[in-house]
Amino acid sequence: MILSVSRRTDIPACYSDWFFERLKEGFVYARNPMNPHQLSRIALSPEVVDCIVFWTKNPAPMLGRMEELSAYQYYFQFTLTGYGRDIERNVPHKREVMLPVFQRLSGQIGSRRVLWRYDPVLFTKTYTPEYHRKAFRQIAETLCGYTKKCIISFVDSYAKNRKNMQTAGVYELPQAELEDFARELCKIAGENGMELASCAEEMDLTHCGIAHNCCIDKSLIEELTGSGIKASKDKNQREACGCVESVDIGAYDTCPNGCIYCYASRGPEYVQKNREKYEVHSPLLCGIVEEGDRITERKAVSLRDTR
């Protein structure tokens, strides 16, 4: 089993104490977002968890506890952009705080296990292609030697972020300009020892030197585990997503980062309401088992090919 921690919320930044408590207890409950009264009990033993994929904008709360992951294979997808607080409202200052955190994490666990996400790319009157080129270069030069791969995507419009996108004045670049922009980022990444890849992009950028990426990456997991992984494409993700199947233990409407492009939150009032339910010893993130909830044991088996 591959554990996703988490596409739905920033567990490393906001709920790392809860996560480490779950590892100690050996299980977690996850609520089905499509059927809220359906809960899955998921085993977390190293025997069934082949790899943990962390998604975060700030793993600083975990840095002093990395030894607690010693029984597991894992890697981080670390989102680090050039946006200010008008776009990423509650993320600490990038140059002063987050770049040093990225370097510290890479120093602890190695550059292969920290993937840099410059993601999503959106264009406004402030965040022009020229702005992004400059910001991307500054970050890439600072992270040179601290990561092997950078992942980009262009912002998508969802029901949960559409109003914010319109308010911010987000616009699309013409196809030719977008491809030229992508080529420039690819060149900058290469100059700093990084492969540039795209995330869930329907647009083919391979002719710009940018490969389609798999965030839940079978080949990287096989490299880390030293074993073949019998995993299929994740059918729950978008058509353009190349990720293999994983189990996500996060919850929507729980991330306080406040990014205007977020697809996982309906707004700060919903997040605040859920965060008031947070209890570090609960098996469920930001909630408790309620009357009418049904708990089923999710089949958890290792996907390693032991032949």
Side-chain angles (χ1 to χ4, degrees):
M1 177 178 65
I2 300 165
L3 204 65
S4 173
V5 186
S6 157
R7 282 186 172 97
R8 301 170 183 166
T9 190
D10 196 332
I11 289 176
C14 309
Y15 305 107
S16 61
D17 288 341
W18 172 83
F19 176 73
F20 283 120
E21 190 68 23
R22 291 297 89 223
L23 291 186
K24 290 178 185 177
E25 292 289 328
F27 74 96
V28 64
Y29 290 166
R31 196 178 291 279
N32 184 340
M34 305 304 294
N35 184 355
H37 283 297
Q38 181 182 333
L39 275 64
S40 295
R41 187 185 190 277
I42 302 161
L44 297 179
S45 73
E47 288 72 32
V48 297
V49 176
D50 300 300
C51 190
I52 304 172
V53 181
F54 293 104
W55 314 67
T56 186
K57 287 184 170 70
N58 182 11
M62 295 183 67
L63 293 183
R65 304 184 65 176
M66 299 305 293
E67 72 281 354
E68 296 178 48
L69 297 173
S70 60
Y72 298 87
Q73 294 296 340
Y74 59 89
Y75 63 93
F76 282 77
Q77 302 219 48
F78 193 141
T79 298
L80 187 50
T81 68
Y83 300 123
R85 295 209 167 177
D86 55 334
I87 303 294
E88 296 174 345
R89 295 171 180 144
N90 300 315
V91 178
H93 195 278
K94 310 301 175 53
R95 184 172 58 253
E96 296 175 4
V97 181
M98 297 322 306
L99 280 165
V101 167
F102 193 111
Q103 292 172 329
R104 286 173 58 199
L105 177 63
S106 176
Q108 283 187 316
I109 69 175
S111 60
R112 194 74 181 104
R113 290 203 285 178
V114 189
L115 281 60
W116 168 33
R117 298 182 71 94
Y118 191 88
D119 158 69
V121 178
L122 58 82
F123 301 105
T124 70
K125 288 182 179 179
T126 299
Y127 300 104
T128 62
E130 182 55 35
Y131 178 96
H132 280 295
R133 283 190 287 266
K134 182 178 179 181
F136 186 86
R137 180 177 293 279
Q138 290 175 342
I139 297 173
E141 289 176 350
T142 304
L143 297 184
C144 182
Y146 290 95
T147 186
K148 302 294 186 184
K149 180 184 279 189
C150 176
I151 301 161
I152 63 168
S153 73
F154 298 102
V155 71
D156 290 311
S157 177
Y158 300 91
K160 291 182 180 179
N161 71 9
R162 193 164 294 127
K163 183 178 179 180
N164 286 337
M165 296 292 98
Q166 293 171 348
T167 301
V170 174
Y171 66 87
E172 295 184 4
L173 282 186
Q175 179 81 10
E177 291 182 35
L178 194 62
E179 291 182 3
D180 288 342
F181 172 80
R183 286 190 187 92
E184 290 183 65
L185 295 196
C186 187
K187 181 175 182 293
I188 294 168
E191 290 170 351
N192 289 280
M194 303 170 194
E195 173 192 357
L196 190 64
S198 65
C199 172
E201 281 297 328
E202 294 183 5
M203 177 173 48
D204 185 1
L205 295 173
T206 54
H207 60 288
C208 301
I210 301 172
H212 281 295
N213 183 68
C214 306
C215 300
I216 307 289
D217 188 342
K218 180 180 177 181
S219 62
L220 177 55
I221 293 169
E222 289 178 334
E223 177 185 329
L224 295 176
T225 61
S227 172
I229 295 292
K230 298 179 289 185
S232 303
K233 176 177 165 32
D234 193 333
K235 297 177 183 177
N236 295 317
Q237 304 303 321
R238 290 171 287 171
E239 180 74 22
C241 178
C243 291
V244 295
E245 56 194 320
S246 63
V247 177
D248 199 297
I249 63 169
Y252 291 114
D253 288 320
T254 59
C255 183
N257 285 336
C259 304
I260 71 163
Y261 51 74
C262 184
Y263 61 83
S265 171
R266 290 172 289 175
E269 65 276 13
Y270 294 94
V271 173
Q272 180 59 32
K273 182 178 180 180
N274 284 323
R275 280 174 61 78
E276 289 171 358
K277 303 174 186 176
Y278 174 61
E279 209 288 310
V280 69
H281 297 290
S282 172
L284 194 64
L285 181 61
C286 293
I288 59 173
V289 178
E290 301 172 354
E291 186 176 351
D293 286 345
R294 301 180 303 278
I295 304 172
T296 58
E297 188 81 25
R298 179 161 187 151
K299 185 179 180 181
V301 295
S302 173
L303 301 174
R304 296 192 188 197
D305 189 346
T306 57
R307 290 177 299 175

